[in-house]
Amino acid sequence: MAAYILRRLLLIVPTMLGIMLVTFVIVQFAPGGPVERLIAQLTGTDAGATAKFSGGGSDFSGSSEQGMPGGDVSGGSSKYRGAQGLDPEFIASLEKQFGFDKPAYERFGQMIWNYLRFDFGESYFRDTSVLTLIAERMPVSISLGLWMTLISYAISIPLGIRKAVSDGARFDVWTSSVIVIGYAIPGFLVAVFLIVLFAGGSFLQIFPLRGLVSENFWSLPWYQKVLDYFWHLVLPLTAMALSAFATTTFLTKNSFLEEIRKQYVITARAKGLTERQVLYGHVFRNAMLIVIAGFPGAFIGAFFAGSLLIETIFTLDGLGLLGFESIVNRDYPVVFATVYIFSLLGLLINLLSDLTYTWVDPRIDFETREV
């Protein structure tokens, strides 16, 4: 097993290199960029992101009056949209500030070297380091992703087993209908409905509408901190949960149905074992293998992409919202850092999933397989 783990860890290196290379190349061909973004702000055509420019001995923080230093103003063409009429030396200073004065291969090599040391630099449009931004947003994403995954599995697995045992019965039919309807309803629509109903809309005002904790959170006793934390999570998790049960529930049901029909189950029943002993002593371990295989995808989906709209609607500053805002604002250090961290976590969780296979079923031996 140690050799298998080592091979998988070594395989992470070229995989991460490929992911970052593809991301870097795509960004190079994407329209716009931080230089154009800042030029648009300085010329008054973009009121979005702000950046701090410190080239040429002057500070520029998004003011169009400060943004065009004197000098030999060129009316010629420029590779940046909106840069016509600006001083070429000023444009060169912007390129140097953002690192675009170097060739692409040199910038990529420097980025990889820094990322190997977990040095993600500073945000272009926020006066703080990328690592600080990610650390500030991490609690929200961990809360949504972790609790959503645990709640989903805690409900879906027992429900799937019950549906498999009562396959074709009334319970199986009506629960399938409810699950399919819940899966078809978009999470953001449920979120809006919950806000209107329970968060100060047209009816009740029971739950808070924004933030992960209250403003006076740190002054509360520990037990009130716990209650306040979960009080803020009720509506976001409910909005995410209604569509999260379908895949795991049906996967569990189908896995158990396949195992229940096998010969060893018939033999166990013939020996006089109770149905509970058959299900949880023999069938459970074999049937749960395929469910465990879906855990990394479920966790990563809930941890990152699955919570973007929920974070926006409930004003939760998580990693999903941070990544989206960074793409819109062309804040490349944050974009590349989030891709790097997301991908690395995904690969490590997939390795953990394989190791869980051997814990559930010791008959599985990855040592004899090629990676």
Side-chain angles (χ1 to χ4, degrees), residues 50-64:
T50 58
K52 187 174 182 180
F53 170 65
S54 56
S58 301
D59 288 337
F60 298 87
S61 58
S63 172
S64 59

Side-chain angles (χ1 to χ4, degrees), residues 1 10 127 135 146 158 170 172 200 234 251 351:
M1 181 57 68
L10 292 177
D127 192 18
L146 181 62
R170 181 177 299 178
D172 180 38
V234 170
L251 187 62
L351 174 59

Side-chain angles (χ1 to χ4, degrees), residues 242-301:
L242 291 181
S243 61
F245 300 138
T247 302
T248 308
T249 299
F250 287 121
L251 187 62
T252 303
K253 175 190 173 182
N254 293 333
S255 299
F256 268 79
L257 282 177
E258 183 179 354
E259 292 296 323
I260 286 173
R261 293 164 182 162
K262 290 185 177 180
Q263 183 63 42
Y264 75 90
V265 176
I266 299 174
T267 303
R269 286 172 175 165
K271 291 181 178 180
L273 297 180
T274 64
E275 193 67 20
R276 185 178 183 84
Q277 289 175 326
V278 171
L279 285 176
Y280 295 99
H282 294 76
V283 177
F284 184 84
R285 176 174 293 181
N286 296 327
M288 287 304 297
L289 288 175
I290 192 171
V291 178
I292 291 172
F295 179 82
F299 178 74
I300 294 296

